[in-house]
Amino acid sequence: MATNHWPTAIALLLVGVVGYVAAVAEFVFVASLRSGRLPVRSYVRANLRRAGWLMAFRAALILGAIAVVAAVVAATVGITQPPAAGELTDSDILLIGVTAAVAAVGWLVTSTLTNAFVVPIMQYEHRGPLGAWRRFTRAISGHWTAVAVFLLVAVVISMVVGVALFILSFFAMTIGGLLLVGGGVLVTESVPALEPVVAAGVIAGYLGYRYVVSLIRAPVRSYLRYYALLLLGDVEPSLAMITDDLTGGSDTTEGSSAGTAVVETEPDDGADNSNPGDDTADSNAGGDETATKPQVGDDDETTADDETATTE
């Protein structure tokens, strides 16, 4: 029995590892955009804990969307004795389809806002995902039109890039399928002992393909992230994370639009610091300390994160 389930276990483990690495990369990417540098080692070390909570938050979003669709399917077609496909009415099919579409759009919007706005706040103010979401909703209150415009721009650009990548992926996957999968099947049929080697080759080929896709998407992602960071700084000066050195602004605007000397002047409700995964428990637990906490550089932030993790 265990032998029959080991491919599923390995697949789930691989998904978890890739998801965690992707979460770490989100914070490293934001930190590099803020600083204009990329000391990967220090940025990775500083964001290991945050990445774990971000991965858990993303998993919760996906499971929540699936649960909504599953609940509607169960209520419509039943669980113990589901009807055949031909017995489903048009209204049942429409209800399930609309629910799936709403769940997919909700997940996409929430995921986009999390990556663009919540992840930077998590890093900048040492918050967990829920606390960062509360901070984002407070900061953007009254400016939802600007957020809607950002989402529209993100969707249009992503669709254009997606079409180009689809064409590229079609040829890449076709050639890869013929060479790797087809050739791998022939090899494993001739020499079954080479199955691990073939599997490793398929994984390596997929990772290489993803690397090329990431290189193509990097300029678009950078543009959208800068857009989001500048938008946060415009609507909430205490969340201005891009310095004038990167934007080319003058020194006279440093206090208002670039890096500020304060993080947040409004009192916190206390829930953020008790949120699971919140790194503010030691660094900004007091309201007065938070109000006067100086903005630190990325290297200093890395050291602070390491000291916080050690004391915890």
Side-chain angles (χ1 to χ4, degrees):
M1 182 66 65
T3 304
N4 295 331
H5 292 289
W6 72 264
T8 303
I10 292 178
L12 291 176
L13 178 62
L14 182 61
V15 169
V17 171
V18 172
Y20 182 73
V21 172
V24 174
E26 288 289 343
F27 290 103
V28 173
F29 187 49
V30 171
S32 67
L33 291 178
R34 288 173 50 197
S35 65
R37 297 178 294 109
L38 189 57
V40 177
R41 229 166 134 190
S42 60
Y43 286 170
V44 168
R45 188 172 64 250
N47 294 286
L48 292 177
R49 184 179 179 184
R50 294 190 193 102
W53 287 108
L54 177 61
M55 183 183 69
F57 183 76
R58 287 174 168 176
L61 288 180
I62 296 175
L63 293 177
I66 294 175
V68 170
V69 178
V72 173
V73 172
T76 303
V77 304
I79 299 177
T80 56
Q81 293 180 347
E87 298 178 3
L88 293 176
T89 63
D90 293 338
S91 60
D92 292 338
I93 297 175
L94 179 62
L95 178 60
I96 295 174
V98 170
T99 302
V102 171
V105 171
W107 169 80
L108 181 60
V109 171
T110 304
S111 179
T112 301
L113 295 179
T114 299
N115 295 336
F117 298 101
V118 175
V119 167
I121 294 176
M122 288 176 64
Q123 184 182 71
Y124 190 65
E125 294 191 346
H126 298 247
R127 294 175 179 265
L130 298 182
W133 257 103
R134 286 192 291 268
R135 178 73 171 103
F136 166 66
T137 55
R138 289 198 302 266
I140 211 68
S141 178
H143 300 87
W144 289 105
T145 302
V147 177
V149 172
F150 169 81
L151 288 174
L152 179 61
V153 172
V155 168
V156 172
I157 294 178
S158 299
M159 287 180 61
V160 173
V161 176
V163 171
L165 288 177
F166 175 79
I167 298 174
L168 174 65
S169 300
F170 175 78
F171 291 102
M173 297 303 292
T174 300
I175 297 175
L178 292 176
L179 294 179
L180 293 178
V181 179
V185 170
L186 295 177
V187 170
T188 54
E189 288 181 351
S190 303
V191 186
L194 293 179
E195 286 185 1
V197 177
V198 173
V202 172
I203 294 174
Y206 174 76
L207 293 178
Y209 160 75
R210 296 303 305 177
Y211 178 74
V212 173
V213 171
S214 298
L215 289 179
I216 297 174
R217 287 178 172 173
V220 177
R221 292 184 62 206
S222 299
Y223 170 78
L224 293 176
R225 294 305 175 85
Y226 268 124
Y227 185 173
L229 291 174
L230 292 174
L231 178 59
L232 274 178
D234 287 340
V235 301
E236 179 59 69
S238 64
L239 292 177
M241 308 179 198
I242 302 298
T243 63
D244 288 331
D245 292 337
L246 295 179
T247 59
S250 62
D251 295 337
T252 58
T253 60
E254 183 176 358
S256 60
S257 63
T260 61
V262 294
V263 174
E264 183 180 359
T265 56
E266 65 176 88
D268 206 337
D269 55 8
D272 296 337
N273 291 328
S274 61
N275 179 44
D278 195 345
D279 291 337
T280 58
D282 294 332
S283 59
N284 62 351
D288 295 336
E289 288 185 11
T290 302
T292 59
K293 179 182 176 182
Q295 179 182 351
V296 296
D298 294 285
D299 293 336
D300 296 333
E301 181 181 345
T302 300
T303 304
D305 288 340
D306 292 339
E307 292 176 355
T308 300
T310 302
T311 56
E312 290 177 349

